[in-house]
Amino acid sequence: MSLKAWDFIQKTLYHAALQASGKLCLRRTHIPMIRSTSWTSVQFRSTHGTNSGSSSFSIRSHTCGELRSTHVGEVVTLCGWVQYQRHGMFVILRDYSGLTQVLIPEDESRIKLKKTFCELPLESVVKVKGKVKRRPAGQENKEMPTGEIEVCAETAEVLNKSKKLPFEIKDFTKKAESLRMQYRYLDLRSSQMQYNLRLRSQIVMKIREYLTNIHGFVDVETPTLFKRTPGGAKEFLVPSREPGRFYCLPQSPQQFKQLLMVAGIDRYFQVARCYRDEGSKPDRQPEFTQVDIEMSFVNQAGIQALIEGLIQHFWPNELRSISTPFPIMTYEEAMSVFGVDKPDVRFGMQLVNISEVFSSIEVEFLRDIVHRPGGCVQAIRVPGGTRHLKNKDLESLKHLAKIHFNQTVNVVVLKDDGTWRSSIAKLLPDSAKQHLLQLTAAKPGDVLILASGLLQDVRSLLGKLRLQCVQLLEDKGMIVRDPSDFHFLWVVDFPLFLPKKEYPAELESAHHPFTAAHPEDLPLLLKEPHKVRSQHFDLVVNGCEVGGGSIRIHDASVQKFVLEKILKEDSSLLSHLLEALDSGAPPHGGIALGLDRLLSIIVGASSIRDVIAFPKSFRGHDLMSGAPDFISEDELRPYHVCVKWPVQEGKEKQELDLTKNSALDS
Ligand code: ASP
């Protein structure tokens, strides 16, 4: 675990210790056992523990990371897991807060104690009572926050003996992720996972505090058994006992939060579980958590300011501070400069339009592209790229362009002596070369990557290659992006509709069908809906989308028009919402923050799985319990559902049944 993480845990604990008296105390609490006015029926219970803090109501007096030289002389009781044993003399006890060295004294009376510990497997759980002593001079451990002291054991009790575990609970032990997920309860013992989950809890607490106590929001739980929503992500189905009828797990509480606005709950929030059956997508989870927010009588700027304040409120002190307001960039600007709608603005390598270089030269294929409607040639410049990007790297970039975008890119290596290495070098006159260098501001030592084709294809490709280049450079040790820097920004003015991937002549919502049109583009809604911008906005940090929201349509006739005439959806599926919008719906808007993604960025985790206690594997499996599981025909009968087995799978069902738990599919 990083020092920062330990520091955080120690500070949290110190804070808790300050609140508590730090000592065992006896409390008398009365618990009425039966409803009666007679005192004889009232039992009293004495409890060990302090009034507050990390050891209140517990059989321990302190946590394992808490003791310092100020505790010397105190008799304490610690509970924890055996992390190490050394020389038959020392046992290191661990809990979430840290480690404490327990000394087994060398006197006769403690022979039993020594035997207990020596035979005890690591990761067994013990309770130790003893006196805090200062470690002998020279034996202090400066790396350990408790390193000045040790606890001289007087009694010890084995609370649970551990069997041999599939992996060691040591920060330096590398484990395959599938194994970590199969034994998640062990993986969560690691200091990093403890840190991640505890930070998550603190941040959620601050979110609730900010929204409820400071801004008057109401936390409302909404159903997770719901019905299909037209458009948007694929939903999970839940069979019901009525033939042919299914619930859906909501992809978000979108409809409910809008209905709550109609209901007069004018400021709603929920830490909401959402479900999307999106198959195997990297770093997505079939169930995930959103901080879901909706407000009445608000505009985009109001929602954005609320979120900026919220993020500042929960932003961990240990991280570099963030300043507000966050910059705002239009979708068009993001796409034209960075090639993506979630730009990582921590580095340059921006897209440059170089079409004019090729409009009148002899390189036929490039000239033709430039003259085709919507055609262009663009480039990105990798400063100092020749020093770091080897031929094999440049080939990998070309390969990526071919495989994922079916496009060919041209690479220009600008050698230190000013000469060019490129397949297009000999095709370009000197004047064109100079023009290209001038437009891209390229210098000897740089690498240029050129792509040509339709504007949106070129942008997507170069947007991807830009990120790939920076990854290659960083893999070679260059620091291009500062990991401790957090660049939040708003992306606004998205298109309201996009052509459907399979049928480009038809339109689908760019986000969801409840998003309102940009007021300036309302006249286009009837005749040229594809040109309409929306009142949707995304929150982006360091190239990741961590939130999205919008001002909603609050007029039933506009909503009906969008559903029926533009999206060609069956509006009867949303008759409840349409009716509600016709019943005095206030203007409203909201946002949802992706809590898992935001947290993974804050803790620097490479996957959102690292901030979720029990995540699913890449294929949506719970590798610990084996979910999803097979259901027998008998159990399916009440739901009027029968499984039609694909031929191959049907044959193999029995085998699958046996091996499902060991599916290595993370
Ligand atoms: N419900 C939307 C989503 O899940 C966010 C929003 O528009 O508030 O993406």
Side-chain angles (χ1 to χ4, degrees):
M1 175 162 77
S2 64
L3 271 177
K4 205 163 64 187
W6 268 121
D7 197 44
F8 168 84
I9 286 177
Q10 297 299 330
K11 274 190 194 141
T12 311
L13 204 79
Y14 180 65
H15 185 69
L18 278 184
Q19 284 182 343
S21 71
K23 297 200 174 99
L24 276 177
C25 72
L26 280 179
R27 282 195 333 128
R28 291 175 74 81
T29 317
H30 68 275
I31 307 276
M33 299 302 286
I34 47 170
R35 228 174 242 284
S36 163
T37 51
S38 146
W39 277 106
T40 54
S41 63
V42 175
Q43 289 209 344
F44 287 89
R45 182 177 66 166
S46 63
T47 52
H48 288 278
T50 50
N51 292 329
S52 61
S54 308
S55 296
S56 50
F57 313 112
S58 170
I59 56 169
R60 71 182 180 208
S61 64
H62 295 79
T63 60
C64 296
E66 192 177 349
L67 298 172
R68 301 284 184 274
S69 50
T70 48
H71 294 92
V72 168
E74 283 182 33
V75 175
V76 297
T77 306
L78 300 182
C79 295
W81 286 260
V82 176
Q83 177 86 0
Y84 307 106
Q85 292 160 15
R86 285 196 284 128
H87 317 307
M89 246 182 102
F90 301 109
V91 175
I92 312 296
L93 274 196
R94 183 201 74 235
D95 65 16
Y96 76 92
S97 68
L99 304 165
T100 298
Q101 176 163 294
V102 174
L103 172 72
I104 307 163
E106 284 293 316
D107 56 51
E108 279 300 301
S109 61
R110 309 280 159 80
I111 296 273
K112 202 169 144 245
L113 203 64
K114 191 161 183 170
K115 194 161 179 301
T116 310
F117 274 124
C118 285
E119 287 168 5
L120 204 56
L122 298 185
E123 291 305 310
S124 296
V125 187
V126 293
K127 181 172 110 176
V128 175
K129 187 173 169 208
K131 197 178 249 180
V132 182
K133 281 180 44 179
R134 193 180 293 282
R135 289 195 197 185
Q139 288 185 25
E140 300 89 351
N141 184 345
K142 290 213 163 54
E143 302 294 307
M144 226 170 147
T146 61
E148 286 188 344
I149 58 95
E150 58 196 359
V151 172
C152 183
E154 287 169 9
T155 59
E157 188 185 334
V158 178
L159 301 176
N160 202 332
K161 198 165 163 174
S162 175
K163 63 171 187 163
K164 181 155 173 37
L165 303 181
F167 52 80
E168 290 186 313
I169 316 296
K170 305 256 160 61
D171 288 343
F172 49 80
T173 311
K174 287 248 174 303
K175 297 144 266 189
E177 203 185 359
S178 53
L179 196 65
R180 289 177 53 202
M181 288 175 67
Q182 190 179 350
Y183 297 97
R184 193 60 166 179
Y185 47 89
L186 296 180
D187 185 47
L188 294 183
R189 286 185 193 169
S190 73
S191 49
Q192 185 65 59
M193 290 305 293
Q194 287 280 325
Y195 171 70
N196 293 357
L197 294 188
R198 284 165 195 276
L199 183 70
R200 182 179 180 126
S201 159
Q202 290 209 344
I203 285 182
V204 168
M205 194 270 289
K206 286 192 173 171
I207 289 174
R208 290 185 189 283
E209 177 186 72
Y210 175 86
L211 291 172
T212 312
N213 296 350
I214 305 181
H215 293 290
F217 279 75
V218 185
D219 183 354
V220 183
E221 287 172 74
T222 55
T224 52
L225 287 180
F226 191 43
K227 66 183 274 189
R228 209 174 72 75
T229 311
K234 258 209 139 76
E235 289 157 326
F236 283 99
L237 293 177
V238 181
S240 81
R241 285 169 187 264
E242 289 182 54
R245 293 194 146 194
F246 288 79
Y247 297 103
C248 275
L249 299 181
Q251 38 181 300
S252 82
Q254 185 65 36
Q255 291 183 48
F256 290 107
K257 65 176 174 173
Q258 290 193 234
L259 292 168
L260 286 169
M261 295 305 107
V262 183
I265 304 280
D266 63 350
R267 289 179 167 220
Y268 144 93
F269 88 98
Q270 182 182 189
V271 180
R273 187 57 63 89
C274 304
Y275 304 87
R276 292 184 193 172
D277 189 6
E278 292 183 330
S280 313
K281 283 203 184 170
D283 221 22
R284 296 263 174 110
Q285 284 281 304
E287 50 182 321
F288 58 97
T289 307
Q290 285 188 341
V291 179
D292 198 39
I293 291 173
E294 198 75 8
M295 297 165 84
S296 295
F297 315 114
V298 72
N299 56 20
Q300 284 194 56
I303 299 170
Q304 289 166 359
L306 174 89
I307 296 303
E308 288 163 359
L310 172 70
I311 294 177
Q312 276 205 317
H313 186 79
F314 72 60
W315 198 247
N317 291 333
E318 296 76 20
L319 300 186
R320 192 179 293 174
S321 62
I322 49 169
S323 55
T324 58
F326 300 153
I328 297 178
M329 187 182 285
T330 65
Y331 169 82
E332 176 51 30
E333 198 183 343
M335 293 305 291
S336 66
V337 179
F338 298 98
V340 281
D341 60 3
K342 41 177 191 276
D344 189 339
V345 294
R346 287 176 296 173
F347 66 103
M349 295 191 207
Q350 299 173 353
L351 278 60
V352 184
N353 193 346
I354 50 168
S355 300
E356 59 186 83
V357 176
F358 301 95
S359 57
S360 59
I361 59 160
E362 293 305 310
V363 189
E364 213 173 297
F365 73 99
L366 289 173
R367 196 186 53 207
D368 288 353
I369 284 169
V370 172
H371 289 296
R372 205 189 296 162
C376 69
V377 185
Q378 302 212 4
I380 53 171
R381 177 176 73 94
V382 187
T386 52
R387 220 168 322 126
H388 301 281
L389 299 178
K390 304 290 166 231
N391 270 346
K392 126 172 144 342
D393 302 316
L394 299 175
E395 284 311 313
S396 77
L397 294 172
K398 288 182 187 169
H399 184 71
L400 187 148
K402 192 82 222 150
I403 298 297
H404 294 288
F405 295 84
N406 196 22
Q407 286 186 57
T408 309
V409 289
N410 285 290
V411 173
V412 178
V413 175
L414 296 166
K415 295 203 251 170
D416 286 341
D417 62 5
T419 56
W420 288 36
R421 182 156 58 81
S422 169
S423 57
I424 59 162
K426 52 183 176 304
L427 304 173
L428 293 183
D430 278 349
S431 59
K433 284 184 183 169
Q434 281 314 315
H435 194 179
L436 181 56
L437 294 182
Q438 185 204 340
L439 287 178
T440 55
K443 294 187 289 298
D446 293 350
V447 167
L448 288 175
I449 299 172
L450 278 53
S452 55
L454 289 177
L455 182 66
Q456 72 261 33
D457 298 341
V458 168
R459 283 176 171 177
S460 318
L461 170 61
L462 289 181
K464 182 84 192 156
L465 292 181
R466 174 178 177 266
L467 293 173
Q468 192 60 27
C469 281
V470 86
Q471 193 58 55
L472 285 170
L473 294 175
E474 287 182 344
D475 289 347
K476 291 169 192 293
M478 270 183 89
I479 298 175
V480 186
R481 296 169 292 190
D482 180 350
S484 61
D485 223 1
F486 296 90
H487 276 269
F488 281 94
L489 69 101
W490 295 105
V491 180
V492 301
D493 293 354
F494 280 81
L496 185 55
F497 307 109
L498 289 172
K500 278 189 184 163
K501 283 204 181 70
E502 313 85 70
Y503 311 104
E506 293 176 21
L507 292 177
E508 63 186 2
S509 299
H511 292 96
H512 56 61
F514 315 111
T515 313
H518 195 294
E520 286 169 19
D521 295 351
L522 267 177
L524 299 172
L525 203 54
L526 283 179
K527 295 258 155 49
E528 296 177 293
H530 59 282
K531 288 193 179 159
V532 178
R533 288 166 301 160
S534 71
Q535 293 201 60
H536 177 92
F537 43 90
D538 270 352
L539 179 62
V540 174
V541 58
N542 296 356
C544 294
E545 180 203 322
V546 289
S550 60
I551 298 301
R552 324 298 185 187
I553 300 170
H554 72 282
D555 180 307
S557 58
V558 177
Q559 184 66 77
K560 201 162 178 327
F561 175 82
V562 166
L563 286 168
E564 290 176 359
K565 300 286 183 278
I566 298 178
L567 301 173
K568 314 275 187 252
E569 293 283 0
D570 175 4
S571 68
S572 68
L573 281 170
L574 287 167
S575 55
H576 53 285
L577 185 77
L578 292 171
E579 228 177 286
L581 293 182
D582 239 352
S583 321
H588 59 281
I591 187 167
L593 300 181
L595 184 64
D596 310 298
R597 200 168 293 167
L598 195 50
L599 276 158
S600 68
I601 293 167
I602 289 174
V603 302
S606 57
S607 158
I608 59 167
R609 293 187 291 275
D610 282 346
V611 294
I612 298 175
F614 297 100
K616 302 280 187 294
S617 72
F618 182 59
R619 281 172 53 198
H621 289 195
D622 173 2
L623 299 187
M624 191 175 60
S625 71
D629 208 351
F630 294 105
I631 298 289
S632 73
E633 282 180 17
D634 276 356
E635 286 165 298
L636 281 176
R637 205 159 292 126
Y639 302 105
H640 314 277
V641 170
C642 75
V643 177
K644 190 162 169 243
W645 287 95
V647 182
Q648 193 56 18
E649 259 175 68
K651 273 197 212 140
E652 289 168 1
K653 177 183 176 298
Q654 288 303 99
E655 279 169 53
L656 275 172
D657 224 341
L658 293 171
T659 56
K660 62 185 191 277
N661 280 351
S662 60
L664 295 176
D665 62 348
S666 70

